[in-house]
Each structure stands twice: as structure tokens, then as C-alpha cells.
């Protein structure tokens, strides 16, 4: 093929695109993406070709125009795509339309799964090996708004959308003074000062929004008006930020309590006040549901105490590790920002099993690990989860004996302490809506114990209380807490630290930290293409036969000691 001869003559050392072509031949073929062609009668460009162009575009951080130009002009790209030298490219808008198609259903995951399958066929991804997962925060492509700015900007965005639907109808129903209130973006307006002025302003905006929603859903409104996404966002934001009191007056909701916990939502609240008034004020919803920007209603606010606060999403990257093969990203999960890491574990294991690349060992940090996760991974997917199980948060209050020091009799439903005292039969209970076993030792046994202060941590004579997990989970927790203190376990776990470098690579080299698009689906497309691009670069840099940098005399001197 003339393209191959010219490409290698022009670049004797090769480029990432050329090496991937030689290593994997055709990374994507059209049979992998049946049904991805346009359905509106336009001449379709090969989905396999567009998929590879998109991956190469992310590998080199090119814009759509630059990528389309590279397809038409660069010899190495033509070689990677299997094109003739005289073959023309395509318009840059095709790439944007292709990403829209990728965002439908699970097509983005399908693209990465096809790539991983090709890598496994080439022997570059080992089945039943080791994998590691880590997550990082991703900033949405929107400004962070406070609640006052949110309602005003949501109102303005809805008016902008309705003006495109039927400008004449909107001009007839909209009061003239709204032009001064919503004519410009909220970032250009000075917000009112003082608590009373702010309440008056937001309640006026709330009344305007309620009036607009009534007009939109009236029979005389255009049919398309009620179907506009911006109008639906307005309705949802008003439900979250306002409420009607007993007199039918629209009111501004209170902010969330900073110490509230989502897992205790709906449970009975302990009342420590002296009066009998247990009225709970109307508050905005939890961060998992609260809309924080009308321009990306799927973005959410989250924070890591003492580290970072952001509005956006979270990206979970799973890569292979260990052995002689390059470390390659085999799975990506994108979640709303407030979702905890632990909620993504089951989806990761299910996807890896479906794609036939499930590891024998999965190295993760403590955010992904609980006894329940370890148990489910072993039973359902035959995966050993390696990660630190959370220690008892109240261990400092009882320095003498930890829960692992007590002997549990699962047949008699009793527990024996290290001093020989046996508890009454335990009682089933719930903790954070999960089944637990409550064990309470008799006061008489604990009062006379010489180790009472070290065990119970109190001076008022109360008995020791334990909260056990169900039997298989409690055994897993005890074993994990014991093993993770050993030197062998720590040496085994050291391999997980490499996941941090993968996060750094995708953030610094491929711009993962900042969303290029809006919405969860399009953001996931970005994360998948970033992962595939990182794999392209790593395949290019992996040279099994290349000599490593020679060791210095000092390194050679320290080498026997290290081994």
C-alpha cells in the first residue's frame, strides 16, 4: 500500500497512530458498531473510522477542526485509518455529531469494550490478572452559582428558551418590567444586600417563575413551550427552592443542615429541646438531587472535607497493573459528584465480568471497601478485593480491647470478652438502614472488671456495647482488619499507588479535570475517549525490547539491599 510506504519513509521512527496500526491492525471495524450510521438519509462516514479519529484527537488534544484537518493532510493518520493518500477527509462537524451518537445508551462503553477486546486478543490485557481503581473529581462546564443566582438564572434561561419557541406569544404574556430583571445574565447584575432584601428578591423571583409556569401550561400557550427542557428545569428548581405555606403563600426554603446525613433521612429524629415543638422547616433537597445550574441540570455539588469543593461529576478509572504488559485502562464509570465511591464497585465488577477481563485481584482505596463489597465481589464475580477496611472510629475511646478481641458464639448468639464475661443474647437492630446485631454486656459484669476503663471508656458503670455485622460480614471485617496491619499485606497493597499516576496523566495530559461538554452522558463520552487516548499513548511508549536507562553506581550499590 502506497500510504504505508510513504508513512514509514517520512517517519522512520513511527508515531503513536502508526504503531497502533501495526500492533492491532484494525482497532475498530464497522461490524463492531452496527446501527451507528446516521438514519436521516445523509451520506454516512464509517463509524469505525470516526471512532479511531476521535481517540487520536483526544490523544493529541486537537480541536474538531484540527482533527478533521489531520485526517485530510497527515500521512500517519491516513496510515492508521487505512486511507489512500488521495482520499479526502470530512467536515469537522461530523465529529460533533458522532459524539452525540456516542452519548446514546451505552455506546461509549461499547467503544472502550471493543478496544479492550482487541488488546486482549493481542495479549496486552491479561484475564484474571490484577486491576486497580481510583476516582477523581471533574468540574462541570458551568459557573458555580449561589441559591439566589440560581433561581434568577434559571428564570432567565427559561425565558430565553421560550423566546425561541414563540417570541410573539411570550411578548404578549410577559410583563414589561421583567426586561430589567431578567434581561442580562445574572453574573452581570448586582445582588441585593442584607437578609431581608435577599428574601424579598428571591420571593419576587419565585412569584414570577410560578406565574410563568402557569402561563406555559395554560391552554393558550404553544404546545412546544411545555416540552422545552429549560421549562422543565424551571419547574424542578422551583420545587426544590420554594414551598407553599398553610396560607398558600410562596416561601423560600431553608438551607440544608451541614451535619445532616443522607442515610438517616426519614428516620425518627431525637428531640433534645425543652419544648415539644418538633416542626421541621422546609429545606432544599440533598446534593444528590439538588440542581445547581440551569445550564447543566445533571451536575451536582460535592466536597471532600478539608480538600476540595466542586460542581460537576466524578470519574472512576480501572486499569490493569503488574506484569510485563503496559498498564491499560479497561473500564470507566462517570457518576454525579456526590455519589460515594463505594456505589460504583458493583457496576465496575459487573462490566469487567461481562467484558471477560475480570481480575483475580482488585486493588482499591478505603472509599471502595466494606465487608459487604468484599463478600459480593468474591461470591458473585470471583474477585478478591484488596483494600483497607475502615477501622473502628471510636477505637480511641476504648484503647484496651477492640471488637476483634471478643469471641463470638454464632450458635448461642452471645459474645465473650477477653476477661471471660459472656453477654446476654444479642438483639437484631438497624444501623444506617442495614441489619446489625446489638450486643450489650451486663453492668454488673463490667463494674467489677479490672479492665473496665480500658474496655468501656466510661466512668459511669455502663456495660460494653458492640455492634456486630451478620456472621459472614463480621468474619470478613475481623480478618481484613488483622491482615491489613501486616507487612506482607502492605507490600501487596503498594501496587495500588500507581492508580494515582493514571489520574495525574489523564488530568494533566488530556484535560480530564474540566468538562468539555454538558450533561452526564456527554461527560462520560469525554472520559471514555480520554481513557482510550491514554491507552494509545501507553501502547506507543511500551517497548519490551528497549534497554532501560543504565543504573548509576550508587543505584547499583543499593540494589542488593533493596532486593
Amino acid at each position: 500500500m502506497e500510504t504505508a510506504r510513504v508513512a514509514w519513509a517520512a517517519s522512520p521512527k513511527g508515531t503513536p497512530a502508526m504503531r497502533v496500526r501495526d500492533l492491532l491492525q484494525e482497532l475498530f471495524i464497522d461490524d463492531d458498531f452496527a446501527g451507528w450510521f446516521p438514519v436521516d438519509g445523509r451520506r454516512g462516514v464509517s463509524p469505525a473510522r470516526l471512532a479511531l479519529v476521535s481517540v487520536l484527537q483526544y490523544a493529541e488534544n486537537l480541536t474538531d477542526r484540527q482533527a478533521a484537518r489531520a485526517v485530510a493532510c497527515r500521512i500517519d493518520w491516513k496510515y492508521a485509518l487505512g486511507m489512500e493518500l488521495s482520499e479526502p477527509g470530512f467536515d469537522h462537524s461530523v465529529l460533533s455529531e458522532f459524539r452525540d451518537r456516542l452519548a446514546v445508551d451505552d455506546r461509549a462503553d461499547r467503544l472502550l469494550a471493543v478496544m479492550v477486546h482487541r488488546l486482549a486478543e493481542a495479549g496486552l490485557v491479561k484475564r484474571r490478572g490484577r486491576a486497580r481503581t481510583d476516582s477523581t473529581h471533574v468540574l462541570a462546564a458551568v459557573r458555580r452559582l449561589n441559591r439566589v443566582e440560581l433561581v434568577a438564572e434559571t428564570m432567565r434561561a427559561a425565558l430565553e428558551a421560550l423566546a425561541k419557541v414563540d417570541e410573539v406569544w411570550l411578548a404578549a404574556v410577559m410583563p414589561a418590567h421583567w426586561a430589567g430583571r431578567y434581561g442580562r445574565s445574572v453574573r452581570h447584575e448586582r445582588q441585593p444586600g442584607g437578609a431581608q432584601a435577599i428574601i424579598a428578591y428571591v420571593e419576587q423571583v419565585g412569584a414570577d417563575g410560578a406565574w410563568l409556569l402557569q402561563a406555559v401550561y395554560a391552554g393558550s400557550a404553544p404546545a412546544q413551550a411545555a416540552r422545552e427542557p429549560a421549562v422543565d428545569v424551571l419547574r424542578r428548581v422551583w420545587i426544590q427552592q420554594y414551598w407553599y405555606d398553610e396560607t398558600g403563600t410562596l416561601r423560600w426554603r431553608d438551607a440544608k443542615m451541614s451535619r445532616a446525613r443522607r442515610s438517616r433521612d426519614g428516620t425518627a429524629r431525637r428531640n433534645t429541646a425543652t419544648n415539644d415543638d418538633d416542626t421541621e422547616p422546609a429545606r432544599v433537597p440533598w446534593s444528590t438531587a439538588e440542581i445547581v445550574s440551569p445550564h447543566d441540570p445533571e451536575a451536582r455539588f460535592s466536597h471532600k472535607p478539608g480538600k476540595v469543593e466542586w460542581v460537576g461529576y466524578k470519574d472512576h478509572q480501572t486499569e490493569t497493573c503488574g506484569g510485563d504488559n503496559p498498564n491499560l485502562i479497561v473500564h470507566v464509570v462517570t457518576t454525579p459528584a456526590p455519589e460515594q465511591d463505594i456505589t460504583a464497585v458493583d457496576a465496575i465488577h459487573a462490566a469487567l465480568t461481562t467484558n471477560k477481563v475480570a481480575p483475580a485481584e482488585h486493588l482499591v482505596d478505603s472509599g471502595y471497601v466494606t465487608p459487604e463489597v468484599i463478600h459480593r465481589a468474591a461470591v458473585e464475580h470471583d474477585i478478591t478485593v484488596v483494600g483497607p477496611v475502615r477501622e473502628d472510629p471510636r477505637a480511641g475511646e476504648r484503647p484496651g480491647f477492640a471488637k476483634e478481641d471478643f469471641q463470638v458464639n454464632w450458635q448461642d448468639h452471645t459474645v465473650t470478652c477477653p476477661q471471660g464475661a459472656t453477654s446476654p443474647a444479642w438483639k437484631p437492630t438497624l444501623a444506617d438502614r442495614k441489619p446489625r446485631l446489638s450486643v450489650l454486656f451486663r453492668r454488673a459484669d463490667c463494674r467489677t472488671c479490672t479492665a473496665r476503663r480500658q474496655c468501656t471508656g466510661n466512668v459511669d458503670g455502663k456495660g460494653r456495647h458492640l455492634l456486630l455485622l451478620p456472621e459472614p460480614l463480621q468474619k470478613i471485617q475481623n480478618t481484613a482488619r488483622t491482615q491489613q496491619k501486616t507487612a506482607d499485606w502492605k507490600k501487596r497493597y503498594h501496587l495500588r499507588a500507581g492508580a494515582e499516576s493514571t489520574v495525574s496523566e489523564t488530568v494533566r495530559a488530556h484535560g480530564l479535570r474540566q468538562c468539555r461538554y454538558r450533561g452526564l452522558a456527554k461527560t462520560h463520552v469525554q472520559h471514555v475517549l480520554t481513557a482510550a487516548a491514554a491507552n494509545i499513548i501507553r501502547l506507543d511508549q511500551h517497548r519490551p525490547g528497549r534497554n532501560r536507562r543504565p543504573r548509576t553506581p550508587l543505584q547499583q550499590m543499593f540494589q542488593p539491599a533493596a532486593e
Side-chain angles (χ1 to χ4, degrees), residues 27-28 49-61 77 98 111 115 510 528-536:
L27 179 57
F28 304 117
R49 179 171 294 181
L50 291 176
L52 184 54
V53 170
S54 298
V55 172
L56 294 175
Q57 173 187 2
Y58 270 70
E60 300 188 19
N61 292 322
W77 278 42
F98 179 69
L111 185 148
M115 183 181 201
H510 303 289
V528 167
L529 293 177
T530 299
N535 288 343
I536 294 290

Side-chain angles (χ1 to χ4, degrees), residues 37 56 64 88 153 155 206 217 222 307-309 326 347 373 376 395 429 447 466 551:
F37 285 92
L56 294 175
D64 287 351
E153 184 65 15
M155 182 69 177
Y217 291 109
K307 294 183 179 180
V308 64
E309 293 184 354
V373 167
R376 281 198 305 270
T429 186
R447 281 175 179 168
L466 299 176
R551 295 179 179 272

Side-chain angles (χ1 to χ4, degrees), residues 330-348:
V330 295
H331 188 255
V332 172
V333 175
T334 306
T335 63
E339 287 195 11
Q340 300 298 313
D341 291 348
I342 196 172
T343 61
V345 177
D346 290 340
I348 293 172

Side-chain angles (χ1 to χ4, degrees), residues 140-146 149-150 153 185-189 191 292-296 299 311 514 518:
V142 294
R143 290 181 67 250
R144 183 173 172 180
L145 306 174
N146 59 40
E149 294 172 329
L150 169 65
E153 184 65 15
S185 176
V186 68
R187 69 177 184 271
H188 300 305
E189 302 293 341
Q191 300 301 315
V292 293
S293 173
H295 305 297
D296 190 351
V311 169
Q514 185 68 52
R518 293 175 179 175

Side-chain angles (χ1 to χ4, degrees), residues 81 308 310:
L81 296 168
V308 64
W310 80 100

